[in-house]
Amino acid sequence: MKALHILLLAAAFISLTFNATHGEEIINGKKAKKNSFQYMASVQSKGKHICGGFLISPSYVLTAAHCFQSNLSVVLGTQNIDAKRNELRRYAVKSMHIHPSYKENPRYGSDIMLLKFSGKVNLNKDLKVIKISSNHKRVKPNTKCQVAGWGKTETQKTVNDLMVTDVSTIDITVCKKQWNKENVELPAKILCAGGYGTKSGACQGDSGGPLVCSGLAVGIVSFNLHDNCSYPNVPNVYTEISAYADWINKVIKRDA
C-alpha cells in the first residue's frame, strides 16, 4: 500500500494540471546579498535542483509536498549551487514526512513536507535556521515580504545563484476571486503574494522555498498558473505555515 502511495505521488508530481512552481526561479529579482538567506536549501534529485526549501532546525528542512521524489538530497550553506563546485555541502535525506492531508496535487492543499537528515548539521556563519510562524494569526494584506530561490528568472532561463525579490501579500478574498476566474477553487490554509498585476514573484524551481516577512518564514511556495512566469494575472499561492505548526512540532518530537 505504501509503495502504491509513493507511485501515485510520483505520477501526480509529473502530471500536475496547472503547474506548481516546481524548480522555479525568481522573476524580476536580484542576486541575494552575501551572508543573507543562510537558511536556504536546494532540494535535489540526482544532483540537480528541483525545489527550494529552508532549514528550520539542525535536522530538518521544510519544503513543499509536491517536491517529493525518491533519493532526495539537500545542498545547504551556499548561494551558488553550480554542480561543478567541489565545496558544495550535500546532505542525504533520511526520511520524508508528507502531511497526511496532502492529496497528490498542490491545488488540494496541505502542500507541505519535512525532510530529515541522518544527523544534525553544524550551524555556522554560512548556515543558519529560520524561525517559522507558530501562531494562527493570518499575515495582513499588503505586508512586504521576500521570496528567494534558484528557479527560473524568466519562463525559460535558470540560474545557479540564489535570487530574491520583494512581494506583498494579497487579501485572501481578492486572491480567491482572481483564481475563481480561472475556474480554480483554492484550498484552505494558504497565503497569496506576488504576481497579480506585478512583475515579481516565484516561478518554476522556487517551489518549497519560504515566503519571509520580517525575518519569519510564514509561507511555502506552492503553485502559480500554467507555468506562466511572464507574469500571471493571478497571485502566487503559498502554504500557510502557521496552520501546520502543530503538525510540524509533532513530527519533530515524534521523530526525535
Side-chain angles (χ1 to χ4, degrees):
M1 195 71 177
K2 185 177 179 181
L4 176 61
H5 181 63
I6 290 174
L7 288 172
L8 288 172
L9 279 173
F13 179 79
I14 295 171
S15 61
L16 295 178
T17 54
F18 71 104
N19 295 321
T21 53
H22 167 69
E24 73 181 341
E25 287 199 9
I26 299 301
I27 303 301
N28 293 320
K30 57 187 177 182
K31 188 175 176 180
K33 292 182 180 179
K34 189 176 180 180
N35 299 322
S36 66
F37 300 94
Q38 296 100 321
Y39 47 80
M40 285 296 299
S42 170
V43 179
Q44 302 196 354
S45 175
K46 298 179 180 178
K48 293 184 179 181
H49 174 83
I50 59 168
C51 279
F54 46 107
L55 194 68
I56 62 170
S57 85
S59 298
Y60 287 90
V61 160
L62 193 59
T63 186
H66 77 261
C67 295
F68 167 86
Q69 286 194 31
S70 58
N71 300 317
L72 290 179
S73 64
V74 175
V75 172
L76 296 168
T78 183
Q79 293 183 348
N80 186 298
I81 59 170
D82 187 344
K84 297 177 182 178
R85 299 178 63 223
N86 294 325
E87 65 269 28
L88 286 183
R89 285 179 279 180
R90 185 181 302 278
Y91 301 85
V93 173
K94 177 185 178 182
S95 59
M96 295 175 281
H97 302 270
I98 298 173
H99 194 275
S101 296
Y102 182 68
K103 296 180 180 179
E104 303 163 8
N105 193 313
R107 65 173 169 175
Y108 300 130
S110 300
D111 189 16
I112 184 170
M113 176 171 62
L114 279 164
L115 305 178
K116 186 184 181 183
F117 309 126
S118 57
K120 294 183 178 181
V121 301
N122 295 318
L123 303 180
N124 53 49
K125 65 180 181 67
D126 297 319
L127 184 56
K128 298 180 180 179
V129 299
I130 184 171
K131 291 183 179 180
I132 61 175
S133 180
S134 59
N135 62 55
H136 292 263
K137 186 177 180 181
R138 185 175 291 275
V139 180
K140 294 181 179 180
N142 300 315
T143 299
K144 291 184 178 181
C145 307
Q146 289 184 310
V147 60
W150 290 277
K152 294 181 180 179
T153 53
E154 298 175 18
T155 301
Q156 298 298 327
K157 294 182 179 180
T158 58
V159 295
N160 287 319
D161 290 314
L162 182 66
M163 304 294 287
V164 59
T165 193
D166 296 329
V167 293
S168 293
T169 54
I170 297 165
D171 183 272
I172 191 65
T173 303
V174 173
C175 184
K176 288 182 177 180
K177 183 178 180 180
Q178 296 303 313
W179 276 92
N180 283 341
K181 293 179 181 179
E182 302 294 334
N183 297 316
V184 175
E185 183 177 350
L186 293 179
K189 303 177 182 178
I190 53 127
L191 296 169
C192 300
Y196 185 51
T198 73
K199 294 182 179 180
S200 298
C203 185
Q204 277 57 54
D206 293 323
S207 283
L211 177 67
V212 179
C213 309
S214 301
L216 191 70
V218 301
I220 302 170
V221 179
S222 187
F223 59 85
N224 66 4
L225 183 65
H226 300 311
D227 284 346
N228 178 15
C229 305
S230 297
Y231 202 73
N233 293 326
V234 294
N236 292 162
V237 178
Y238 297 77
T239 303
E240 185 178 26
I241 293 174
S242 67
Y244 296 93
D246 292 342
W247 173 77
I248 293 169
N249 292 330
K250 184 178 180 180
V251 170
I252 292 176
K253 185 178 293 186
R254 181 190 66 206
D255 211 31

